[in-house]
Amino acid sequence: MTNFNLTINGKTRQVDVDPSTPMLWVLRDHLGLVGTKFGCGIAQCGACTIHLDEMAVRSCQIPVSAVGEKKITTIEGLSEEGDHPVQKAWLEQDVPQCGYCQAGQIMTAAALLKENPHPTDEEIETAMNGNICRCGTYTRIKAAVKAASDS
Amino acid sequence: MTIIKTTYNRRSFLKSTALAGGGMMLGFSWFVSCKPSPEQVSNMPREWFEINGFLKIGENGMVTIMSPNPEIGQNVKTSMPMIVAEELDADWKKVIVEQAPLNTSIFTRQLAGGSQSIRQGWDGLRMAGATARQMLVAAAARAWEVPAEEITTDNGTLHHKNSGKSAGYGEMASAATEIPVPEEVKLKDSKDFKIIGTSRKNVDGKKIVTGKPLYGLDYHKEGMLIAMIAHPPAFGLKLKSVDDAEAKAMPGIKDVLTIKTYKDDYVRSMFDADAFQELVVVVGNTTWEVMNAKKALKLEWEPFKGYEEAFKTYSGDDTFSKKMPGGLENTGVHMEKMDKFPAKQLKVARKDGDPEAAFKKAAKVIERSYTAPFLAHNTMEPMNFFAHVTEDKAELAGPVQTPEFMEQSVAARIGLPLDKIDIQMTRQGGGFGRRLYGHFVVEAAVISQEIKAPVKLIYTREDDMTFGNYRPSYHATYRAALDADNKLIAFHVRAGGIPESPLFANRFPAGAIDNYLAESWEMESNITVGAFRAPRSNFIAGVEQAFLDEVAETMEKDPIDFRLELLKRATSDPVGENNDYDASRYAGVLELVREKSNWKTENNTGVHRGVSAYFCHNSYVANVLEMVMKNNKPEVRKVYCAVDCGIVVNPIAAINLVEGGTVDGIGHAMYSQLTFKDGKPEQRNFDRYRLIRHEEAPKAIEVHFVESDEHPSGLGEPPFPPIMGALANALYKATGQRHYHQPFIAEKPVIG
């Protein structure tokens, strides 16, 4: 066990865990931040997407020991009131069906728009390709990303 | 205006009570639809009349509707309360929806499956809303001393025009509990609907997009441990030995144990399907610690000999035995055996006219065979459940589609009476049929009982994908006989699967062809299967529609005209009596999709089109799919969907379901498969199991509903099966090749 000081959603959090523990499980099991979802554990589905500084990463593949000084943002910290343009667009388009993958989709979309505020359709598809939605809400997700990009 | 009775044989569907803090509560029977005949009523279980839904109107005017049905992404948590609110004339902004816990003494038939929630709930929900409204009106009439007929309602408010009086529902709610439940209530005409038919957003939307704990996997209880299971790596194997010394010594590990999910003499319900009799369980403090300890287990497995299992029928009145053959199965062998299934073992499911003679005299016979692989459900939220079993009670919580059945399974296994078992339902990260089979609920209960602690059982993706309850692997051979004038004179379908047949003998084109033969076969397997979004239809729809496309082409007919001609025959002069579809509604969706897609318009723009139509779960869906070739790869440019599901309750959610079913159907037909080598699934996670991704989704989906006053029918499943046919037909136009074997684009094709 090792002590880690992490900056998560703007706050300093301390955890005492095995250094190999993926951020996904640090968030879910040790910090009670369960908005970040477990889907596959091998970075293939995107349900566990968080931001490391401003980059979208799969938290199931980031050991806590690799985080260092980088700032972590999870779905819970994307906005104070749930009013990030991407979240608003998701509600406006009524995207979710079961909803399980959507936190990961939103985190990937938010990182994309930060880096590229006006992506083309192809750029949206490429950026979002690592996030699986079994309910098949892809067309709405794309519409929501475009709506957020316009706002 | 329709007047309906709120009683049947003097038994009321409704019960009114005062709320402790003021306000009224109306208990009602959620599922009083499908009006029964007197004979049916006399055979009905008593519980049918029992109350299973609640409607509360608080003194502050807030309306709370308690929904008994599991929410698996089909959006019933929003759409069903809309129906109550419509008849109540409630202010939708003041409606709160709560998920009811499993309580078999109060709620009955808590199940998500078969696209039945809206269809079966329709009448009961309307009756509840209309009754509450009528009682509020009566209370206001009494208070204001005016005739009830002069009182109108609107948006949660009562008005009396002549006196200028008005009051919110909350103000009259307590007084309304003193009004006897009316024996008859008036329902609105559909033209007067203000909420039904308008788009209302998901009531849980904000919680979902802000990452609030909603799902089973998010469930937490103080002192809770984490458990994971190890099951045999292949179907046909059982546990031989466990060396857990290393695993037990790892940090955070509390225990390693072996459990049997069901008792040996237990008679299973159909939702207790399970290929693995004994599991190894690792219990510890945190998920990561348990995952690591699981990897350190040294487990040996051995083949089992065949055995039989006793199952109850769905009604529970009878039992039957099911064989689990021994052996380690291979996909290559499966394909070969399905292709050569002995004709002697076929069962005739339907025969019209003299198909043998017609085929004999045919000028031309078209024969094609189609296959599809096993599929794993792959709900994005893996199987999981929370359990806390003590000596005198069991508390469970999590995502399951059949809580009522699981309560009985748990009771039988842990030896507690039903009333000591409480199951709370969480939101479910997808269902698709997978969570009908709740072995994981029982496992969680057994683990908690054994280790004497609250525990959350979590499956890894690999545990989940390799556990079974799959969509079966299917095979179908179609034959069509044409006479010298190129007229269709006979039709033959021979369909089977491992281990069940996908045949629906009485569906279209049965009823439209004089000489018709439908045969069915099944092949045993120890790979367990279960319902998968639109069971059986999810294969047979696509292949039948692909075959009809090829028949139309041979007959040199437009594929839509060809289908419409057959449907015309089935309408005007149907063959046989048990035709399981309404030919005019079937034709209706085809006509609508033809119009919306401008089907007649020829184009030379490199856009290739395929059409299909199907009927299942009481709804009709037709598709036109447009495909272009881009860098030698097929790309779905646009899909037109025409849907007849009766009255559309919540368009924005209904369109979402149709879009999703379309994407899901294209994805599974194009990319997904589960193959076996020596009993072992060759795909264990999303690196090798392909699900459709963003880049592969249609660039646009247009959904059109047939305008209808018909009772609403299913929508969770119907959009899924037909699209596979439209896809196959467009793929042929785009590539010049017919595709007979799913998945159409496989990384590693499986042949023979």
Side-chain angles (χ1 to χ4, degrees):
Chain A
M1 297 288 169
T2 312
N3 243 308
F4 293 94
N5 283 313
L6 303 165
T7 311
I8 300 173
N9 299 333
K11 288 185 197 131
T12 307
R13 306 290 297 259
Q14 210 176 59
V15 287
D16 186 23
V17 294
D18 185 286
S20 73
T21 312
M23 268 317 296
L24 169 66
W25 298 112
V26 172
L27 293 168
R28 290 187 60 84
D29 281 358
H30 299 272
L31 297 170
L33 292 168
V34 295
T36 305
K37 299 301 189 218
F38 168 56
C40 70
I42 59 163
Q44 290 292 311
C45 78
C48 68
T49 305
I50 58 168
H51 295 172
L52 204 55
D53 283 341
E54 285 175 1
M55 204 162 74
V57 294
R58 312 302 182 215
S59 66
C60 71
Q61 296 301 307
I62 309 283
V64 62
S65 57
V67 173
E69 302 291 308
K70 293 196 179 75
K71 290 189 199 89
I72 287 170
T73 309
T74 70
I75 186 73
E76 291 93 340
L78 187 61
S79 62
E80 299 235 332
E81 304 289 330
D83 54 0
H84 184 280
V86 173
Q87 287 168 316
K88 279 162 75 178
W90 242 251
L91 290 176
E92 193 47 42
Q93 299 290 330
D94 206 32
V95 173
Q97 285 187 34
C98 90
Y100 191 80
C101 73
Q102 300 296 350
Q105 305 272 5
I106 289 169
M107 295 308 283
T108 303
L112 164 70
L113 292 179
K114 185 118 198 201
E115 197 197 330
N116 177 4
H118 299 287
T120 63
D121 279 19
E122 274 191 17
E123 285 168 340
I124 294 172
E125 286 171 19
T126 306
M128 302 301 299
N129 214 40
N131 289 74
I132 296 176
C133 173
R134 167 72 223 270
C135 298
T137 62
Y138 296 132
T139 43
R140 280 191 188 208
I141 288 172
K142 198 199 272 179
V145 175
K146 283 165 101 167
S149 136
D150 292 339
S151 68
Chain B
M1 189 183 299
T2 321
I3 294 176
I4 57 163
K5 292 201 183 299
T6 63
T7 54
Y8 197 93
N9 290 347
R10 277 181 279 162
R11 292 156 113 179
S12 181
F13 292 121
L14 301 137
K15 195 177 156 194
S16 161
T17 35
L19 281 174
M24 85 179 287
M25 176 161 92
L26 194 67
F28 61 97
S29 180
W30 199 275
F31 299 113
V32 294
S33 287
C34 316
K35 292 189 184 60
S37 66
E39 301 81 57
Q40 281 172 319
V41 169
S42 62
N43 290 326
M44 260 176 202
R46 205 180 60 80
E47 301 80 58
W48 191 77
F49 290 98
E50 280 183 6
I51 303 304
N52 64 7
F54 285 119
L55 163 60
K56 291 189 274 189
I57 302 171
E59 286 193 316
N60 56 0
M62 292 307 290
V63 177
T64 308
I65 297 164
M66 198 170 253
S67 163
N69 267 40
E71 172 68 55
I72 56 174
Q74 78 284 46
N75 211 14
V76 287
K77 206 172 163 186
T78 307
S79 304
M80 294 178 91
M82 283 174 69
I83 303 170
V84 180
E86 175 69 65
E87 292 290 348
L88 179 59
D89 261 347
D91 178 356
W92 181 247
K93 290 191 204 79
K94 290 188 177 172
V95 174
I96 301 168
V97 184
E98 283 179 14
Q99 178 74 64
L102 176 73
N103 187 339
T104 41
S105 63
I106 302 174
F107 304 106
T108 62
R109 297 173 72 178
Q110 287 180 280
L111 187 140
S115 299
Q116 294 300 307
S117 295
I118 293 288
R119 179 169 174 260
Q120 294 190 357
W122 178 246
D123 283 349
L125 296 168
R126 294 183 75 190
M127 180 195 287
T131 304
R133 179 187 163 279
Q134 203 156 313
M135 289 165 76
L136 289 162
V137 166
R142 194 185 272 181
W144 297 338
E145 296 178 332
V146 300
E149 300 78 62
E150 292 178 9
I151 293 176
T152 57
T153 56
D154 177 37
N155 225 17
T157 312
L158 298 137
H159 304 278
H160 184 250
K161 201 177 168 190
N162 294 347
S163 64
K165 284 183 174 160
S166 74
Y169 280 1
E171 296 168 60
M172 288 294 166
S174 291
T177 61
E178 285 158 31
I179 305 289
V181 174
E183 285 185 16
E184 284 183 346
V185 292
K186 291 170 192 157
L187 297 182
K188 288 184 180 177
D189 274 342
S190 57
K191 66 173 171 44
D192 299 323
F193 286 162
K194 290 178 198 154
I195 294 175
I196 290 172
T198 64
S199 288
R200 307 288 161 145
K201 288 178 183 149
N202 192 325
V203 292
D204 280 337
K206 183 84 186 230
K207 288 181 189 162
I208 292 169
V209 304
T210 53
K212 294 283 178 294
L214 291 170
Y215 303 89
L217 213 66
D218 306 341
Y219 195 88
H220 179 79
K221 203 125 200 214
E222 215 36 56
M224 178 183 89
L225 297 172
I226 300 292
M228 285 195 168
I229 55 122
H231 65 71
F235 294 88
L237 291 183
K238 63 174 182 171
L239 186 64
K240 186 182 174 194
S241 71
V242 182
D243 174 357
D244 59 9
E246 193 187 329
K248 266 186 171 163
M250 288 176 73
I253 299 309
K254 295 282 181 186
D255 205 355
V256 175
L257 59 157
T258 301
I259 62 159
K260 278 195 167 185
T261 309
Y262 302 99
K263 288 182 176 168
D264 287 341
D265 58 352
Y266 174 61
V267 180
R268 297 162 183 244
S269 86
M270 62 186 287
F271 302 118
D272 293 324
D274 190 349
F276 307 123
Q277 309 238 314
E278 212 174 8
L279 307 169
V280 181
V281 181
V282 182
V283 185
N285 290 328
T286 67
T287 315
W288 184 243
E289 288 167 325
V290 174
M291 274 181 171
N292 284 326
K294 202 183 137 183
K295 286 181 199 143
L297 287 172
K298 292 184 185 70
L299 306 174
E300 284 187 304
W301 315 92
E302 61 186 351
F304 60 70
K305 292 196 179 99
Y307 59 93
E308 294 209 345
E309 279 175 333
F311 277 85
K312 276 181 276 201
T313 54
Y314 184 76
S315 66
D317 301 337
D318 209 354
T319 62
F320 63 97
S321 138
K322 214 159 107 182
K323 214 166 161 190
M324 276 292 260
L328 304 175
E329 301 179 22
N330 287 287
T331 296
V333 177
H334 280 165
M335 300 309 269
E336 212 170 291
K337 278 181 156 177
M338 289 203 293
D339 224 22
K340 294 175 184 155
F341 191 84
K344 274 185 204 158
Q345 292 170 34
L346 297 171
K347 283 186 199 136
V348 175
R350 173 164 168 160
K351 190 172 174 176
D352 296 319
D354 190 348
E356 291 86 355
F359 273 100
K360 214 170 263 178
K361 70 171 188 199
K364 198 184 278 174
V365 172
I366 311 164
E367 177 173 332
R368 300 289 183 265
S369 290
Y370 302 81
T371 62
F374 286 94
L375 296 174
H377 294 77
N378 290 324
T379 60
M380 291 311 293
E381 179 190 17
M383 297 307 111
N384 67 87
F385 228 78
F386 168 84
H388 187 199
V389 177
T390 57
E391 274 180 23
D392 56 356
K393 66 174 181 184
E395 290 170 11
L396 296 111
V400 67
Q401 288 175 256
T402 50
E404 200 174 332
F405 283 89
M406 288 312 120
E407 189 182 47
Q408 295 176 32
S409 307
V410 169
R413 181 60 178 84
I414 65 172
L416 281 175
L418 285 176
D419 63 356
K420 298 291 180 205
I421 295 168
D422 175 51
I423 301 183
Q424 299 281 334
M425 278 184 284
T426 59
R427 191 176 179 87
Q428 317 200 13
F432 311 107
R434 178 60 182 89
R435 289 187 224 276
L436 292 165
Y437 309 96
H439 51 88
F440 47 88
V441 183
V442 185
E443 288 156 21
V446 176
I447 296 165
S448 175
Q449 191 179 40
E450 293 275 328
I451 63 164
K452 299 184 172 56
V455 67
K456 183 164 70 182
L457 169 67
I458 300 176
Y459 276 45
T460 62
R461 176 58 58 192
E462 291 83 0
D463 296 335
D464 190 333
M465 201 179 287
T466 58
F467 199 93
N469 297 332
Y470 304 123
R471 196 284 297 270
S473 183
Y474 291 127
H475 183 286
T477 299
Y478 283 91
R479 293 164 70 222
L482 306 181
D483 68 10
D485 299 328
N486 231 8
K487 264 178 61 186
L488 178 63
I489 54 168
F491 193 88
H492 177 199
V493 52
R494 191 170 65 222
I498 304 172
E500 62 161 35
S501 168
L503 183 71
F504 288 99
N506 296 318
R507 286 192 183 164
F508 181 78
I513 301 157
D514 287 312
N515 303 299
Y516 172 87
L517 177 63
E519 293 171 313
S520 177
W521 56 269
E522 290 177 345
M523 205 187 287
E524 278 173 359
S525 171
N526 55 30
I527 300 166
T528 51
V529 299
F532 184 109
R533 193 175 205 173
R536 303 179 291 287
S537 303
N538 61 37
F539 169 71
I540 208 77
V543 298
E544 166 206 295
Q545 290 293 313
F547 183 67
L548 288 179
D549 202 68
E550 216 166 329
V551 175
E553 188 187 30
T554 312
M555 294 168 71
E556 293 172 4
K557 282 187 188 240
D558 173 83
I560 295 183
D561 288 344
F562 172 58
R563 286 169 173 81
L564 288 173
E565 280 168 28
L566 290 172
L567 287 162
K568 203 171 162 192
R569 166 73 201 275
T571 311
S572 61
D573 179 21
V575 182
E577 281 168 5
N578 298 319
N579 301 322
D580 181 20
Y581 59 96
D582 177 332
S584 60
R585 288 180 79 182
Y586 216 127
V589 289
L590 270 166
E591 279 158 1
L592 184 63
V593 87
R594 176 166 67 178
E595 176 203 325
K596 296 296 178 185
S597 68
N598 289 315
W599 177 257
K600 290 280 183 196
T601 315
E602 290 299 322
N603 67 66
N604 302 309
T605 53
V607 179
H608 309 282
R609 293 174 140 195
V611 66
S612 66
Y614 201 65
F615 163 70
C616 70
H617 298 88
N618 316 95
S619 296
Y620 300 80
V621 177
N623 295 128
V624 167
L625 182 145
E626 294 183 345
M627 186 179 276
V628 293
M629 293 302 283
K630 214 172 163 185
N631 307 325
N632 266 331
K633 275 169 78 178
E635 180 181 291
V636 180
R637 200 185 73 162
K638 188 165 186 175
V639 180
Y640 298 87
C641 308
V643 182
D644 182 352
C645 57
I647 292 170
V648 177
V649 176
N650 187 6
I652 197 171
I655 293 168
N656 203 349
L657 272 183
V658 178
E659 291 169 347
T662 303
V663 171
D664 199 22
I666 293 171
H668 280 96
M670 201 78 138
Y671 308 107
S672 306
Q673 65 175 336
L674 195 70
T675 57
F676 296 86
K677 190 161 196 286
D678 299 327
K680 207 171 170 179
E682 293 184 290
Q683 298 77 18
R684 294 161 43 81
N685 204 326
F686 297 131
D687 50 347
R688 300 205 63 205
Y689 193 103
R690 289 273 286 107
L691 282 174
I692 191 168
R693 290 176 179 272
H694 276 272
E695 285 180 345
E696 296 147 351
K699 304 302 167 200
I701 302 172
E702 223 177 272
V703 180
H704 301 275
F705 292 100
V706 171
E707 275 192 40
S708 172
D709 275 334
E710 298 272 347
H711 195 118
S713 48
L715 205 55
E717 291 161 288
F720 182 61
I723 189 66
M724 303 186 198
L727 175 71
N729 298 338
L731 204 52
Y732 164 64
K733 293 280 184 192
T735 64
Q737 302 283 318
R738 290 276 176 191
H739 287 68
Y740 300 103
H741 307 286
Q742 293 177 25
F744 299 140
I745 294 180
E747 260 177 308
K748 235 178 79 179
V750 181
I751 301 156

